[in-house]
Amino acid sequence: MHCPFCRHSDSRVVDSRTTEDGSCIRRRRQCPDCGRRFTTVETAALMVIKRSGVTEPFSREKVISGVRKACQGRPVTEDALAQLGQRVEECVRATGNAELTTHDVGLAILGPLKDLDVVAFLRFASVYQAYDGLEDFEAAIAELRRERPAPAADGTSVPVPAAAP
């Protein structure tokens, strides 16, 4: 690590700590040449392979931007989108892979998005699960109904029977 002050080619680590969310390591360093101290922040690089074959760094902002489009016109706050972005990043980092495809990232979005808003989930899933027709939507809606019972008039949950095939 080069010293940002004198450009000396080496530095000594004085202290290392993980950040609050555990995604980075903060290191205090000291230059042996000029004696000045500076801080570095280290993160593991997570790369995304696009359909074209181009590789680029994972971006939480791109995830949020894509989900924002699916949530257009839905009662979803910016805070909820930020939390979803964080959950997705944690999920893809937990895989332990240094490289993921855009399809893998899209699939990692589906779980948190289903919890956030089912209509946005269906919009997003129609792209990433390549729905071909109404049957795919009907199957997804039937699955959602099995997972989420409809509320009864008194506020309790009542299971909704799936539509007959």
Side-chain angles (χ1 to χ4, degrees):
M1 180 75 216
H2 289 283
C3 173
F5 304 108
C6 71
R7 304 300 301 158
H8 185 69
S9 63
D10 196 16
S11 62
R12 182 173 66 90
V13 175
V14 177
D15 182 39
S16 292
R17 298 181 187 186
T18 58
T19 57
E20 288 180 19
D21 63 359
S23 64
C24 304
I25 297 176
R26 179 186 160 278
R27 299 193 195 279
R28 281 297 283 164
R29 296 176 176 269
Q30 183 172 9
C31 176
D33 197 39
C34 69
R36 294 180 75 176
R37 290 185 175 200
F38 56 97
T39 301
T40 59
V41 178
E42 300 173 15
T43 60
L46 182 61
M47 302 302 286
V48 177
I49 304 167
K50 300 179 89 172
R51 289 185 187 121
S52 65
V54 174
T55 303
E56 65 179 42
F58 175 83
S59 169
R60 187 186 298 186
E61 287 305 314
K62 279 193 167 186
V63 168
I64 293 170
S65 173
V67 172
R68 185 179 289 122
K69 290 174 189 168
C71 293
Q72 216 165 16
R74 301 297 303 156
V76 176
T77 66
E78 285 298 315
D79 286 343
L81 289 175
Q83 288 174 354
L84 181 136
Q86 181 175 349
R87 285 179 63 191
V88 169
E89 184 171 355
E90 289 169 357
C91 177
V92 295
R93 286 193 183 278
T95 66
N97 296 330
E99 293 185 337
L100 300 160
T101 65
T102 52
H103 187 72
D104 295 333
V105 174
L107 293 177
I109 292 169
L110 291 175
L113 186 54
K114 187 188 301 184
D115 296 338
L116 182 64
D117 187 273
V118 292
V119 173
F121 165 79
L122 285 171
R123 290 175 179 171
F124 198 87
S126 69
V127 174
Y128 279 94
Q129 293 180 330
Y131 290 4
D132 288 326
L134 290 176
E135 298 79 21
D136 293 329
F137 280 97
E138 289 169 346
I141 291 169
E143 179 65 27
L144 287 170
R145 285 188 172 140
R146 281 192 293 278
E147 291 174 8
R148 296 176 177 224
D154 63 359
T156 61
S157 292
V158 175
V160 175

